[in-house]
Amino acid sequence: MTIQRKRIRPELPEVETIKNELTPYVIGRRITSVNVLWDRSVRQPSVDEFKKQLTRRKITGLARRGKYLVFSLDDGNKLIVHLRMTGALLVKPKGCEPEKYVRVVFCLDDGSVIHFRDLRKFGKMWLVKDLDEVVQKLGPEPLKSDFTAATLAKIVADRQTPIKALLVDQALIAGIGNMYADEALYAARIHPLLPARSLTKEEIRRLHSAIKNVLQAAIGNKGASTSTYLRPDGQKGSAHYEFKVAHRLGGKCECGGEVGRIVVRQRGTYYCPRCQKLTGGEA
Ligand SMILES: [Zn+2]
């Protein structure tokens, strides 16, 4: 049984881990220079403006919203980073030469540097006044206390879409992607193709607590290094060792059955056909 590495992206727990671990390195630091080695990593404004406006700015805050990292700056602007598929933000000691795949380098006033390393070049950065300029609409944060079972009940109500597709829709719930949707549905013993609106009250309650538990556990394990994800210090996360179904095709479920894979709205979806029945499941 091997983890399949195709098209795995950082999700809420990975981005949250990066935020947590990067915070002590960057808060209160001033950016002394910016080097853009791959222009298309910068979406807004122009590369020249991006470098000019960031230089001499102090980083006053770092937050996560969905899968976005949001750096607050002392001039009120925000540097938004989306890692997409292979992006990573790595802290390097003084005078470190950018290695292969580094697209943007931020030099800080304590001599350290932050490398934006991005093998596939899908990662993006924006320098804007407000996150809303970049993202039209993001659903609620699933780990916040105001994301209750009642919140989830409202989201699934009247939606015919398969529950798996609903969970990864960023406009409905922010931060969940393919891996943690599969893990949450397995933990709640819900079939990924079940139409959202057909979930019972009890299934919604189970799914709600499964979402929180799965994300929280993955943050505790510093994210999943199933693919190229790395923490700011270059270490891997270990959340994938806890995966019950995600990327474990053919692996053993605790019921004795084998993990299967189906495609839901073009996304490879892992589940246990025995534990997650489409009909006739547990009441
Ligand atoms: Zn099973």
Side-chain angles (χ1 to χ4, degrees), residues 186 253-255 257 272 274-275:
Y186 171 79
C253 173
E254 60 194 25
C255 73
C272 174
R274 274 207 217 171
C275 294

Side-chain angles (χ1 to χ4, degrees), residues 44 65 68 130-139 170-171:
Q44 189 185 332
R65 178 76 174 99
Y68 293 85
D130 199 71
L131 179 66
D132 294 345
E133 294 177 46
V134 176
V135 197
Q136 290 306 309
K137 184 174 174 266
L138 281 176
Q170 300 302 297

Side-chain angles (χ1 to χ4, degrees), residues 52 94 144 237 277:
K52 200 172 120 194
K94 298 164 200 269
K144 284 211 167 159
K277 298 252 193 257

